[in-house]
Amino acid sequence: MIDSARRAVNAEAKALKQLEDQIDGTLVDVVRIIESAQGKVLVTGSGTSSHVARRMAHLLSVTGTPSMFIHSMDALHGTVGAVQAGDVLVALSKTGESKEVVDLCRLARSRGASIVGIGERSESALANACDIFVCLSTAQGADPGETIAMGSTLVAAAWGDALTRTLMDLHDWNLQESLEIHPAGGVGELVRNVHGGIPAAQSKEERERSCP
């Protein structure tokens, strides 16, 4: 069992290592489209990719690039109304054939948003629906049966981290700004005990006492 677990980790580590050579001019293109956008950044995906999308949106927001996760299927039931001209929609799909993701991209594009796709097939419905398509490959064996999205989701997440760090550098990110918007949890405790200056969140009882 230990050997099996170690093989899985090695396969995924190999996939992540190979990502380094896949960082190219498309990342610069994505940075430029985000920087030139007049609206907000939205990130979407379906299935396992939706969890990567939610993580990416969170990390972008935490580090100075306001971003939100949008559920691809919910969007087709009206949430797409939040998408406006000048927005950027980043869509993740391993195969590029998730119908709800592709339909959302097409609808968002018709509303004036710029579309960035991230997937593994440059000849896919998603690639054809995008302004910029980031084609990422995953080392063989990192996804069980080359189907179950394990290593490929790590690759997509790491590419999102690379994008986020690039934007951080571009914006001269500083830690204090991120700490100021993170008052809860362990980070919030660190802020109060080490950095100071940011009040703890009020308890329910404290809020009730402060209300007239």
Side-chain angles (χ1 to χ4, degrees), residues 141-209:
D143 281 350
E146 313 308 326
T147 302
I148 307 301
M150 292 186 181
S152 59
T153 58
L154 295 180
V155 168
W159 190 93
D161 290 352
L163 171 66
T164 301
R165 284 178 176 264
T166 302
L167 289 165
M168 290 164 66
D169 290 342
L170 197 62
H171 298 157
D172 294 323
W173 171 84
N174 69 77
L175 177 61
Q176 188 61 31
E177 291 179 0
S178 291
L179 293 178
E180 288 173 355
I181 60 171
H182 205 315
V187 173
E189 195 67 25
L190 174 67
V191 170
R192 291 187 290 275
N193 293 339
V194 179
H195 296 272
I198 301 176
Q202 288 184 310
S203 67
K204 179 180 178 181
E205 291 75 19
E206 289 171 329
R207 290 195 301 272
E208 289 175 348
R209 285 199 301 270

Short mmCIF file of all heavy atoms in Angstrom, two decimals, residues 141-209:
data_model
loop_
_atom_site.label_atom_id
_atom_site.label_comp_id
_atom_site.label_asym_id
_atom_site.label_seq_id
_atom_site.Cartn_x
_atom_site.Cartn_y
_atom_site.Cartn_z
N GLY A 141 -0.24 8.70 -16.50
CA GLY A 141 -0.31 8.02 -15.21
C GLY A 141 -0.68 8.93 -14.05
O GLY A 141 -1.03 8.45 -12.97
N ALA A 142 -0.62 10.24 -14.25
CA ALA A 142 -0.98 11.16 -13.17
C ALA A 142 -2.49 11.18 -12.94
O ALA A 142 -2.95 11.48 -11.83
CB ALA A 142 -0.48 12.56 -13.47
N ASP A 143 -3.24 10.87 -13.98
CA ASP A 143 -4.69 10.68 -13.87
C ASP A 143 -4.99 9.18 -14.02
O ASP A 143 -4.63 8.60 -15.06
CB ASP A 143 -5.45 11.44 -14.95
CG ASP A 143 -5.59 12.91 -14.65
OD1 ASP A 143 -5.29 13.33 -13.52
OD2 ASP A 143 -6.01 13.65 -15.56
N PRO A 144 -5.58 8.52 -13.05
CA PRO A 144 -5.89 7.09 -13.20
C PRO A 144 -6.71 6.83 -14.46
O PRO A 144 -7.74 7.48 -14.70
CB PRO A 144 -6.72 6.79 -11.94
CG PRO A 144 -6.22 7.78 -10.93
CD PRO A 144 -5.97 9.04 -11.72
N GLY A 145 -6.22 5.91 -15.26
CA GLY A 145 -6.90 5.60 -16.51
C GLY A 145 -6.88 6.75 -17.49
O GLY A 145 -7.62 6.74 -18.47
N GLU A 146 -6.03 7.74 -17.24
CA GLU A 146 -5.96 8.98 -18.04
C GLU A 146 -7.32 9.66 -18.11
O GLU A 146 -7.60 10.43 -19.03
CB GLU A 146 -5.44 8.68 -19.46
CG GLU A 146 -4.21 7.80 -19.51
CD GLU A 146 -3.06 8.27 -18.62
OE1 GLU A 146 -2.89 9.49 -18.46
OE2 GLU A 146 -2.35 7.42 -18.07
N THR A 147 -8.16 9.38 -17.11
CA THR A 147 -9.54 9.90 -17.13
C THR A 147 -9.92 10.59 -15.82
O THR A 147 -10.51 11.67 -15.84
CB THR A 147 -10.53 8.74 -17.38
OG1 THR A 147 -10.20 8.11 -18.62
CG2 THR A 147 -11.96 9.26 -17.44
N ILE A 148 -9.62 9.95 -14.69
CA ILE A 148 -10.01 10.50 -13.39
C ILE A 148 -9.08 11.68 -13.06
O ILE A 148 -7.88 11.51 -12.92
CB ILE A 148 -9.93 9.43 -12.28
CG1 ILE A 148 -10.73 8.20 -12.68
CG2 ILE A 148 -10.42 10.01 -10.97
CD1 ILE A 148 -12.19 8.46 -12.95
N ALA A 149 -9.67 12.85 -12.94
CA ALA A 149 -8.88 14.08 -12.83
C ALA A 149 -8.23 14.22 -11.46
O ALA A 149 -8.83 14.74 -10.52
CB ALA A 149 -9.76 15.29 -13.12
N MET A 150 -7.01 13.75 -11.35
CA MET A 150 -6.20 13.91 -10.15
C MET A 150 -5.00 14.80 -10.47
O MET A 150 -4.96 15.97 -10.13
CB MET A 150 -5.78 12.56 -9.58
CG MET A 150 -6.91 11.74 -9.01
SD MET A 150 -6.32 10.23 -8.22
CE MET A 150 -7.85 9.50 -7.70
N GLY A 151 -4.01 14.22 -11.15
CA GLY A 151 -2.83 15.01 -11.51
C GLY A 151 -3.16 16.20 -12.39
O GLY A 151 -2.58 17.28 -12.24
N SER A 152 -4.13 16.04 -13.28
CA SER A 152 -4.47 17.14 -14.19
C SER A 152 -5.05 18.34 -13.44
O SER A 152 -4.84 19.48 -13.83
CB SER A 152 -5.45 16.67 -15.27
OG SER A 152 -6.64 16.17 -14.70
N THR A 153 -5.79 18.07 -12.35
CA THR A 153 -6.32 19.19 -11.57
C THR A 153 -5.20 19.91 -10.83
O THR A 153 -5.24 21.14 -10.68
CB THR A 153 -7.38 18.73 -10.57
OG1 THR A 153 -6.82 17.75 -9.69
CG2 THR A 153 -8.58 18.14 -11.27
N LEU A 154 -4.18 19.16 -10.40
CA LEU A 154 -3.03 19.80 -9.76
C LEU A 154 -2.28 20.67 -10.76
O LEU A 154 -1.82 21.77 -10.42
CB LEU A 154 -2.09 18.73 -9.18
CG LEU A 154 -2.64 17.88 -8.03
CD1 LEU A 154 -1.58 16.89 -7.58
CD2 LEU A 154 -3.08 18.75 -6.88
N VAL A 155 -2.17 20.18 -11.99
CA VAL A 155 -1.50 20.96 -13.05
C VAL A 155 -2.26 22.26 -13.30
O VAL A 155 -1.67 23.35 -13.38
CB VAL A 155 -1.38 20.13 -14.34
CG1 VAL A 155 -0.95 21.00 -15.51
CG2 VAL A 155 -0.37 18.99 -14.14
N ALA A 156 -3.58 22.16 -13.44
CA ALA A 156 -4.39 23.36 -13.68
C ALA A 156 -4.31 24.32 -12.50
O ALA A 156 -4.21 25.54 -12.68
CB ALA A 156 -5.85 22.96 -13.94
N ALA A 157 -4.33 23.78 -11.29
CA ALA A 157 -4.24 24.62 -10.10
C ALA A 157 -2.88 25.31 -10.02
O ALA A 157 -2.80 26.51 -9.69
CB ALA A 157 -4.47 23.79 -8.84
N ALA A 158 -1.82 24.58 -10.33
CA ALA A 158 -0.48 25.17 -10.29
C ALA A 158 -0.32 26.24 -11.36
O ALA A 158 0.34 27.26 -11.13
CB ALA A 158 0.57 24.08 -10.46
N TRP A 159 -0.93 26.03 -12.53
CA TRP A 159 -0.88 27.08 -13.56
C TRP A 159 -1.60 28.32 -13.04
O TRP A 159 -1.13 29.45 -13.23
CB TRP A 159 -1.53 26.60 -14.86
CG TRP A 159 -1.30 27.54 -16.00
CD1 TRP A 159 -0.30 27.49 -16.93
CD2 TRP A 159 -2.08 28.72 -16.31
NE1 TRP A 159 -0.40 28.56 -17.79
CE2 TRP A 159 -1.48 29.33 -17.44
CE3 TRP A 159 -3.20 29.30 -15.75
CZ2 TRP A 159 -1.99 30.50 -18.01
CZ3 TRP A 159 -3.70 30.47 -16.31
CH2 TRP A 159 -3.10 31.05 -17.43
N GLY A 160 -2.74 28.12 -12.37
CA GLY A 160 -3.45 29.25 -11.78
C GLY A 160 -2.61 29.95 -10.72
O GLY A 160 -2.65 31.18 -10.61
N ASP A 161 -1.85 29.19 -9.96
CA ASP A 161 -0.95 29.79 -8.97
C ASP A 161 0.12 30.63 -9.66
O ASP A 161 0.48 31.72 -9.18
CB ASP A 161 -0.28 28.71 -8.13
CG ASP A 161 -1.25 28.00 -7.19
OD1 ASP A 161 -2.41 28.44 -7.08
OD2 ASP A 161 -0.84 27.01 -6.57
N ALA A 162 0.64 30.12 -10.77
CA ALA A 162 1.66 30.88 -11.52
C ALA A 162 1.08 32.19 -12.04
O ALA A 162 1.73 33.24 -11.98
CB ALA A 162 2.19 30.03 -12.67
N LEU A 163 -0.16 32.13 -12.54
CA LEU A 163 -0.84 33.34 -12.99
C LEU A 163 -1.01 34.32 -11.82
O LEU A 163 -0.74 35.52 -11.94
CB LEU A 163 -2.20 32.98 -13.57
CG LEU A 163 -3.13 34.15 -13.90
CD1 LEU A 163 -2.56 35.00 -15.04
CD2 LEU A 163 -4.53 33.65 -14.25
N THR A 164 -1.45 33.80 -10.69
CA THR A 164 -1.69 34.64 -9.51
C THR A 164 -0.41 35.30 -9.04
O THR A 164 -0.37 36.51 -8.75
CB THR A 164 -2.30 33.80 -8.38
OG1 THR A 164 -3.53 33.21 -8.83
CG2 THR A 164 -2.55 34.63 -7.14
N ARG A 165 0.67 34.54 -8.97
CA ARG A 165 1.95 35.10 -8.52
C ARG A 165 2.46 36.16 -9.51
O ARG A 165 3.05 37.16 -9.10
CB ARG A 165 2.98 34.00 -8.34
CG ARG A 165 2.78 33.18 -7.07
CD ARG A 165 3.81 32.06 -6.98
NE ARG A 165 3.71 31.33 -5.74
CZ ARG A 165 4.44 31.56 -4.65
NH1 ARG A 165 5.34 32.54 -4.67
NH2 ARG A 165 4.31 30.84 -3.55
N THR A 166 2.24 35.95 -10.79
CA THR A 166 2.65 36.94 -11.79
C THR A 166 1.90 38.25 -11.58
O THR A 166 2.48 39.34 -11.63
CB THR A 166 2.41 36.40 -13.20
OG1 THR A 166 3.13 35.17 -13.37
CG2 THR A 166 2.89 37.39 -14.25
N LEU A 167 0.59 38.14 -11.35
CA LEU A 167 -0.21 39.33 -11.09
C LEU A 167 0.22 40.01 -9.78
O LEU A 167 0.24 41.24 -9.68
CB LEU A 167 -1.68 38.97 -11.05
CG LEU A 167 -2.31 38.61 -12.41
CD1 LEU A 167 -3.65 37.92 -12.21
CD2 LEU A 167 -2.46 39.85 -13.28
N MET A 168 0.57 39.20 -8.78
CA MET A 168 1.06 39.76 -7.52
C MET A 168 2.31 40.59 -7.74
O MET A 168 2.45 41.70 -7.21
CB MET A 168 1.34 38.63 -6.53
CG MET A 168 0.09 37.94 -6.00
SD MET A 168 0.44 36.35 -5.20
CE MET A 168 1.37 36.88 -3.77
N ASP A 169 3.24 40.06 -8.53
CA ASP A 169 4.47 40.79 -8.82
C ASP A 169 4.17 42.08 -9.58
O ASP A 169 4.74 43.13 -9.31
CB ASP A 169 5.43 39.93 -9.65
CG ASP A 169 6.02 38.77 -8.86
OD1 ASP A 169 5.97 38.83 -7.60
OD2 ASP A 169 6.52 37.82 -9.48
N LEU A 170 3.23 41.99 -10.52
CA LEU A 170 2.89 43.13 -11.35
C LEU A 170 2.26 44.25 -10.52
O LEU A 170 2.46 45.44 -10.78
CB LEU A 170 1.93 42.69 -12.45
CG LEU A 170 1.75 43.62 -13.65
CD1 LEU A 170 3.05 43.80 -14.39
CD2 LEU A 170 0.69 43.04 -14.60
N HIS A 171 1.51 43.84 -9.48
CA HIS A 171 0.79 44.81 -8.64
C HIS A 171 1.59 45.22 -7.40
O HIS A 171 1.06 45.92 -6.55
CB HIS A 171 -0.55 44.22 -8.19
CG HIS A 171 -1.48 43.92 -9.32
ND1 HIS A 171 -2.51 43.00 -9.22
CD2 HIS A 171 -1.54 44.40 -10.58
CE1 HIS A 171 -3.17 42.94 -10.36
NE2 HIS A 171 -2.59 43.77 -11.21
N ASP A 172 2.85 44.78 -7.32
CA ASP A 172 3.66 45.07 -6.12
C ASP A 172 2.92 44.67 -4.85
O ASP A 172 2.82 45.42 -3.88
CB ASP A 172 4.02 46.57 -6.06
CG ASP A 172 4.94 46.98 -7.21
OD1 ASP A 172 5.80 46.17 -7.59
OD2 ASP A 172 4.78 48.09 -7.71
N TRP A 173 2.41 43.45 -4.86
CA TRP A 173 1.65 42.92 -3.74
C TRP A 173 2.42 43.03 -2.44
O TRP A 173 3.63 42.82 -2.41
CB TRP A 173 1.30 41.46 -4.01
CG TRP A 173 0.70 40.73 -2.84
CD1 TRP A 173 -0.61 40.72 -2.47
CD2 TRP A 173 1.37 39.89 -1.91
NE1 TRP A 173 -0.80 39.95 -1.37
CE2 TRP A 173 0.40 39.42 -1.00
CE3 TRP A 173 2.70 39.49 -1.75
CZ2 TRP A 173 0.72 38.56 0.06
CZ3 TRP A 173 3.02 38.65 -0.70
CH2 TRP A 173 2.03 38.19 0.19
N ASN A 174 1.70 43.38 -1.37
CA ASN A 174 2.32 43.33 -0.05
C ASN A 174 1.42 42.56 0.90
O ASN A 174 0.19 42.58 0.78
CB ASN A 174 2.64 44.73 0.49
CG ASN A 174 1.39 45.53 0.83
OD1 ASN A 174 0.76 45.30 1.85
ND2 ASN A 174 1.02 46.46 -0.06
N LEU A 175 2.03 41.90 1.84
CA LEU A 175 1.33 40.99 2.74
C LEU A 175 0.24 41.69 3.53
O LEU A 175 -0.85 41.14 3.75
CB LEU A 175 2.33 40.33 3.69
CG LEU A 175 1.76 39.41 4.76
CD1 LEU A 175 1.03 38.23 4.12
CD2 LEU A 175 2.88 38.91 5.67
N GLN A 176 0.49 42.91 3.97
CA GLN A 176 -0.46 43.61 4.82
C GLN A 176 -1.83 43.75 4.18
O GLN A 176 -2.86 43.62 4.83
CB GLN A 176 0.08 44.99 5.20
CG GLN A 176 -0.75 45.73 6.24
CD GLN A 176 -0.84 44.99 7.57
OE1 GLN A 176 0.10 44.28 7.95
NE2 GLN A 176 -1.96 45.14 8.26
N GLU A 177 -1.85 44.02 2.87
CA GLU A 177 -3.13 44.17 2.18
C GLU A 177 -3.95 42.88 2.25
O GLU A 177 -5.17 42.92 2.42
CB GLU A 177 -2.89 44.58 0.74
CG GLU A 177 -2.34 45.99 0.58
CD GLU A 177 -2.09 46.35 -0.87
OE1 GLU A 177 -2.34 45.48 -1.74
OE2 GLU A 177 -1.64 47.47 -1.13
N SER A 178 -3.28 41.75 2.11
CA SER A 178 -3.99 40.48 2.18
C SER A 178 -4.44 40.19 3.60
O SER A 178 -5.53 39.65 3.83
CB SER A 178 -3.10 39.34 1.66
OG SER A 178 -2.90 39.46 0.27
N LEU A 179 -3.62 40.54 4.57
CA LEU A 179 -3.99 40.31 5.96
C LEU A 179 -5.21 41.12 6.37
O LEU A 179 -6.05 40.66 7.15
CB LEU A 179 -2.81 40.65 6.88
CG LEU A 179 -1.57 39.75 6.76
CD1 LEU A 179 -0.47 40.25 7.68
CD2 LEU A 179 -1.90 38.30 7.07
N GLU A 180 -5.34 42.32 5.83
CA GLU A 180 -6.44 43.19 6.20
C GLU A 180 -7.80 42.66 5.76
O GLU A 180 -8.82 43.03 6.33
CB GLU A 180 -6.21 44.60 5.63
CG GLU A 180 -5.09 45.35 6.35
CD GLU A 180 -4.75 46.66 5.67
OE1 GLU A 180 -5.32 46.94 4.58
OE2 GLU A 180 -3.90 47.38 6.19
N ILE A 181 -7.80 41.80 4.74
CA ILE A 181 -9.07 41.24 4.27
C ILE A 181 -9.25 39.80 4.73
O ILE A 181 -10.07 39.07 4.20
CB ILE A 181 -9.19 41.33 2.73
CG1 ILE A 181 -8.05 40.55 2.06
CG2 ILE A 181 -9.21 42.77 2.26
CD1 ILE A 181 -8.21 40.40 0.56
N HIS A 182 -8.46 39.39 5.72
CA HIS A 182 -8.48 38.00 6.17
C HIS A 182 -8.54 37.95 7.69
O HIS A 182 -7.63 37.43 8.34
CB HIS A 182 -7.23 37.28 5.66
CG HIS A 182 -7.39 35.80 5.52
ND1 HIS A 182 -7.99 35.02 6.48
CD2 HIS A 182 -7.03 34.96 4.53
CE1 HIS A 182 -7.97 33.76 6.09
NE2 HIS A 182 -7.40 33.70 4.91
N PRO A 183 -9.62 38.51 8.30
CA PRO A 183 -9.65 38.61 9.76
C PRO A 183 -10.04 37.33 10.50
O PRO A 183 -9.95 37.28 11.71
CB PRO A 183 -10.72 39.70 9.99
CG PRO A 183 -11.66 39.53 8.83
CD PRO A 183 -10.77 39.16 7.67
N ALA A 184 -10.47 36.30 9.77
CA ALA A 184 -10.95 35.09 10.43
C ALA A 184 -9.92 33.97 10.38
O ALA A 184 -8.93 34.03 9.65
CB ALA A 184 -12.25 34.62 9.78
N GLY A 185 -10.15 32.93 11.18
CA GLY A 185 -9.31 31.75 11.16
C GLY A 185 -7.92 31.97 11.72
O GLY A 185 -7.64 32.94 12.42
N GLY A 186 -7.02 31.06 11.36
CA GLY A 186 -5.65 31.13 11.85
C GLY A 186 -4.91 32.36 11.37
O GLY A 186 -4.10 32.93 12.10
N VAL A 187 -5.19 32.78 10.12
CA VAL A 187 -4.55 33.98 9.61
C VAL A 187 -5.00 35.20 10.41
O VAL A 187 -4.20 36.06 10.78
CB VAL A 187 -4.85 34.18 8.11
CG1 VAL A 187 -4.32 35.53 7.64
CG2 VAL A 187 -4.23 33.06 7.30
N GLY A 188 -6.30 35.27 10.69
CA GLY A 188 -6.80 36.39 11.49
C GLY A 188 -6.17 36.42 12.87
O GLY A 188 -5.86 37.49 13.40
N GLU A 189 -5.98 35.23 13.46
CA GLU A 189 -5.34 35.17 14.77
C GLU A 189 -3.90 35.66 14.69
O GLU A 189 -3.43 36.38 15.58
CB GLU A 189 -5.39 33.72 15.28
CG GLU A 189 -5.08 33.57 16.76
CD GLU A 189 -6.14 34.19 17.64
OE1 GLU A 189 -7.30 34.31 17.20
OE2 GLU A 189 -5.79 34.56 18.77
N LEU A 190 -3.22 35.30 13.62
CA LEU A 190 -1.85 35.77 13.41
C LEU A 190 -1.82 37.29 13.30
O LEU A 190 -0.96 37.95 13.89
CB LEU A 190 -1.27 35.15 12.13
CG LEU A 190 0.10 35.65 11.69
CD1 LEU A 190 1.16 35.23 12.68
CD2 LEU A 190 0.43 35.12 10.29
N VAL A 191 -2.78 37.84 12.59
CA VAL A 191 -2.86 39.29 12.42
C VAL A 191 -3.02 39.98 13.77
O VAL A 191 -2.32 40.95 14.09
CB VAL A 191 -4.04 39.67 11.50
CG1 VAL A 191 -4.27 41.17 11.52
CG2 VAL A 191 -3.76 39.20 10.08
N ARG A 192 -3.93 39.45 14.59
CA ARG A 192 -4.19 40.09 15.88
C ARG A 192 -3.04 39.95 16.85
O ARG A 192 -2.70 40.88 17.59
CB ARG A 192 -5.47 39.51 16.49
CG ARG A 192 -6.74 39.90 15.75
CD ARG A 192 -7.98 39.44 16.48
NE ARG A 192 -8.14 38.00 16.44
CZ ARG A 192 -8.71 37.34 15.43
NH1 ARG A 192 -9.14 38.00 14.37
NH2 ARG A 192 -8.85 36.04 15.47
N ASN A 193 -2.39 38.79 16.83
CA ASN A 193 -1.34 38.53 17.82
C ASN A 193 0.03 39.04 17.42
O ASN A 193 0.85 39.38 18.27
CB ASN A 193 -1.25 37.02 18.09
CG ASN A 193 -2.49 36.50 18.79
OD1 ASN A 193 -3.22 37.26 19.41
ND2 ASN A 193 -2.74 35.21 18.68
N VAL A 194 0.29 39.08 16.10
CA VAL A 194 1.62 39.44 15.63
C VAL A 194 1.64 40.80 14.95
O VAL A 194 2.42 41.68 15.29
CB VAL A 194 2.18 38.37 14.66
CG1 VAL A 194 3.56 38.76 14.16
CG2 VAL A 194 2.23 37.01 15.36
N HIS A 195 0.73 40.98 14.01
CA HIS A 195 0.75 42.21 13.22
C HIS A 195 -0.04 43.33 13.88
O HIS A 195 0.30 44.50 13.75
CB HIS A 195 0.21 41.94 11.81
CG HIS A 195 1.08 41.00 11.05
ND1 HIS A 195 2.15 41.41 10.29
CD2 HIS A 195 1.05 39.65 10.95
CE1 HIS A 195 2.74 40.35 9.74
NE2 HIS A 195 2.08 39.28 10.13
N GLY A 196 -1.12 43.00 14.59
CA GLY A 196 -1.89 44.00 15.31
C GLY A 196 -2.68 44.92 14.37
O GLY A 196 -2.50 44.92 13.16
N GLY A 197 -3.57 45.66 14.97
CA GLY A 197 -4.25 46.72 14.23
C GLY A 197 -5.54 46.32 13.58
O GLY A 197 -6.29 47.16 13.12
N ILE A 198 -5.84 45.02 13.51
CA ILE A 198 -7.08 44.59 12.88
C ILE A 198 -7.95 43.95 13.94
O ILE A 198 -7.57 42.95 14.54
CB ILE A 198 -6.81 43.59 11.73
CG1 ILE A 198 -5.92 44.26 10.69
CG2 ILE A 198 -8.10 43.12 11.10
CD1 ILE A 198 -5.51 43.34 9.58
N PRO A 199 -9.10 44.52 14.25
CA PRO A 199 -9.92 44.02 15.35
C PRO A 199 -10.48 42.64 15.07
O PRO A 199 -10.73 42.28 13.93
CB PRO A 199 -11.05 45.06 15.45
CG PRO A 199 -11.14 45.64 14.07
CD PRO A 199 -9.72 45.65 13.56
N ALA A 200 -10.68 41.88 16.14
CA ALA A 200 -11.29 40.56 16.00
C ALA A 200 -12.75 40.72 15.64
O ALA A 200 -13.39 41.72 15.97
CB ALA A 200 -11.16 39.79 17.32
N ALA A 201 -13.29 39.74 14.94
CA ALA A 201 -14.71 39.78 14.59
C ALA A 201 -15.55 39.73 15.86
O ALA A 201 -15.21 39.03 16.81
CB ALA A 201 -15.04 38.60 13.68
N GLN A 202 -16.62 40.46 15.89
CA GLN A 202 -17.49 40.48 17.06
C GLN A 202 -18.27 39.17 17.17
O GLN A 202 -18.66 38.56 16.18
CB GLN A 202 -18.50 41.62 16.95
CG GLN A 202 -17.90 43.00 17.16
CD GLN A 202 -19.00 44.05 17.12
OE1 GLN A 202 -19.81 44.06 16.20
NE2 GLN A 202 -19.03 44.90 18.13
N SER A 203 -18.47 38.76 18.40
CA SER A 203 -19.32 37.60 18.64
C SER A 203 -20.77 38.01 18.45
O SER A 203 -21.10 39.20 18.41
CB SER A 203 -19.12 37.08 20.07
OG SER A 203 -19.62 38.03 21.00
N LYS A 204 -21.67 37.03 18.40
CA LYS A 204 -23.09 37.32 18.25
C LYS A 204 -23.59 38.16 19.42
O LYS A 204 -24.34 39.13 19.25
CB LYS A 204 -23.88 36.01 18.16
CG LYS A 204 -25.38 36.22 18.02
CD LYS A 204 -26.11 34.89 17.95
CE LYS A 204 -27.61 35.10 17.85
NZ LYS A 204 -28.34 33.82 17.80
N GLU A 205 -23.13 37.80 20.64
CA GLU A 205 -23.56 38.54 21.82
C GLU A 205 -23.09 39.98 21.79
O GLU A 205 -23.81 40.92 22.14
CB GLU A 205 -23.03 37.84 23.08
CG GLU A 205 -23.66 36.48 23.39
CD GLU A 205 -23.14 35.39 22.45
OE1 GLU A 205 -22.05 35.59 21.84
OE2 GLU A 205 -23.81 34.37 22.33
N GLU A 206 -21.85 40.19 21.33
CA GLU A 206 -21.31 41.55 21.23
C GLU A 206 -22.07 42.38 20.22
O GLU A 206 -22.35 43.56 20.44
CB GLU A 206 -19.82 41.49 20.87
CG GLU A 206 -18.93 40.98 22.00
CD GLU A 206 -17.51 40.75 21.53
OE1 GLU A 206 -17.30 40.40 20.35
OE2 GLU A 206 -16.60 40.91 22.36
N ARG A 207 -22.44 41.75 19.09
CA ARG A 207 -23.20 42.47 18.07
C ARG A 207 -24.57 42.88 18.62
O ARG A 207 -25.05 43.99 18.37
CB ARG A 207 -23.35 41.62 16.81
CG ARG A 207 -22.05 41.43 16.03
CD ARG A 207 -22.36 40.90 14.63
NE ARG A 207 -23.07 39.64 14.64
CZ ARG A 207 -22.49 38.45 14.68
NH1 ARG A 207 -21.16 38.37 14.74
NH2 ARG A 207 -23.21 37.34 14.66
N GLU A 208 -25.20 41.96 19.34
CA GLU A 208 -26.52 42.25 19.89
C GLU A 208 -26.46 43.37 20.92
O GLU A 208 -27.34 44.22 20.98
CB GLU A 208 -27.11 40.98 20.50
CG GLU A 208 -27.51 39.95 19.45
CD GLU A 208 -27.99 38.64 20.06
OE1 GLU A 208 -27.79 38.46 21.29
OE2 GLU A 208 -28.53 37.80 19.32
N ARG A 209 -25.40 43.38 21.72
CA ARG A 209 -25.27 44.43 22.74
C ARG A 209 -25.04 45.79 22.11
O ARG A 209 -25.43 46.83 22.65
CB ARG A 209 -24.11 44.10 23.69
CG ARG A 209 -24.41 43.00 24.69
CD ARG A 209 -23.44 43.06 25.86
NE ARG A 209 -22.07 42.90 25.44
CZ ARG A 209 -21.45 41.73 25.35
NH1 ARG A 209 -22.10 40.59 25.66
NH2 ARG A 209 -20.20 41.64 24.97
#
